[in-house]
Every structure is written in C-alpha cells, then in structure tokens.
Amino acid sequence: MYKLCDHLSDDEIKKLKAKKKEKMSRRVLLELMGVRRDTYKRVRGAIRRK
C-alpha cells in the first residue's frame, strides 16, 4: 500500500504532525465557515442586507 510518509524525510513528517495539533478557537472556525457573514436579499431589484 502506498503511503505518503514513505517518501518524506523525518523532519518533514514532524512538521506535518505539528500542523495537525494546531488548535483554533470556536470563533475563528465559525469565521472560516462563513457563519457570521452578512446575508443579502433582492428587494424590488435592489440588493439589501438582511
């Protein structure tokens, strides 16, 4: 079975593992998903913020 880690050096593997452990706050995650973004609606041809 082909594995990516077979072709990486030990230093590269350590860097990848370190990135996986990075924690993000709930607020940052919601912002990335676009939950707190403004929503727009068309009213009589004009676009208004809801």
Side-chain angles (χ1 to χ4, degrees):
M1 183 171 177
Y2 175 76
K3 290 186 181 180
L4 181 63
C5 61
D6 293 339
H7 298 283
L8 297 176
S9 68
D10 292 335
D11 293 334
E12 291 172 330
I13 292 171
K14 287 178 185 177
K15 286 179 187 177
L16 286 174
K17 287 183 180 179
K19 286 184 182 179
K20 287 182 183 178
K21 292 180 183 178
E22 180 181 332
K23 294 243 180 180
M24 290 191 207
S25 68
R26 180 175 172 82
R27 184 175 181 178
V28 171
L29 285 173
L30 290 175
E31 194 173 309
L32 285 173
M33 290 190 291
V35 172
R36 302 183 63 87
R37 231 183 266 167
D38 288 339
T39 56
Y40 296 92
K41 186 177 181 182
R42 188 174 290 275
V43 178
R44 293 187 179 184
I47 299 174
R48 307 271 165 112
R49 190 167 66 190
K50 195 172 181 182

